Amino acid sequence: QVRLVESGGGSVQTGGSLRLSCTASEYSGRFSTMGWFRQVQGEAREAIGGIFDGRTSAHYADNIKGRFTISQDSAKNTVYLQMDNLKPEDTAIYYCAAASRPWYSVRRLDPTTYDYWGQGTQVTVSS
């Protein structure tokens, strides 16, 4: 089976930084795309961004640009989310996702195009 495992969540104060990691387990191949989403209780899951396999730059949601950076180590099936200048409104459960379909058919900000999901990691930002 394929599982994604997030790590690096926690509590920080406004203006702080966190670096989340997501690694695939029980998988020896390569995903076409990996991405990050977040969800506040009672709200819809919100896209952060996604990155195609082997690429150095990601595509981000309009409301995310500037403070978050997605990077990856494709050889390790690992994707990272660097979060800087965190704000209370960033408080949410953060999920990583992976897609196996060809990259050109993936809509990186659409959660329905992803095939696998992590269990989520809590990020809490306090004033």
Side-chain angles (χ1 to χ4, degrees):
Q1 63 178 5
V2 177
R3 291 196 303 155
L4 303 179
V5 181
E6 302 99 335
S7 63
S11 299
V12 297
Q13 292 186 306
T14 297
S17 298
L18 283 175
R19 183 172 181 263
L20 307 184
S21 299
C22 173
T23 299
S25 64
E26 307 296 333
Y27 185 67
S28 60
R30 300 276 284 269
F31 299 111
S32 70
T33 315
M34 299 191 77
W36 287 96
F37 294 77
R38 65 184 181 184
Q39 187 168 24
V40 176
Q41 184 177 358
E43 303 293 331
R45 191 161 297 187
E46 177 188 30
I48 296 172
I51 187 168
F52 294 138
D53 180 57
R55 306 301 292 270
T56 58
S57 62
H59 178 58
Y60 301 94
D62 288 341
N63 63 329
I64 294 298
K65 290 184 293 185
R67 297 185 296 116
F68 292 3
T69 303
I70 295 172
S71 60
Q72 68 182 349
D73 185 341
S74 295
K76 297 180 179 180
N77 285 321
T78 299
V79 65
Y80 306 96
L81 179 64
Q82 178 68 42
M83 303 185 292
D84 298 314
N85 192 24
L86 284 163
K87 305 177 183 299
E89 55 262 40
D90 296 318
T91 295
I93 299 176
Y94 284 70
Y95 298 89
C96 68
S100 59
R101 68 172 65 189
W103 67 269
Y104 48 81
S105 68
V106 171
R107 296 175 172 85
R108 286 173 287 180
L109 305 183
D110 183 356
T112 67
T113 68
Y114 290 87
D115 304 294
Y116 307 102
W117 292 86
Q119 80 286 354
T121 184
Q122 177 71 46
V123 171
T124 302
V125 185
S126 301
S127 299

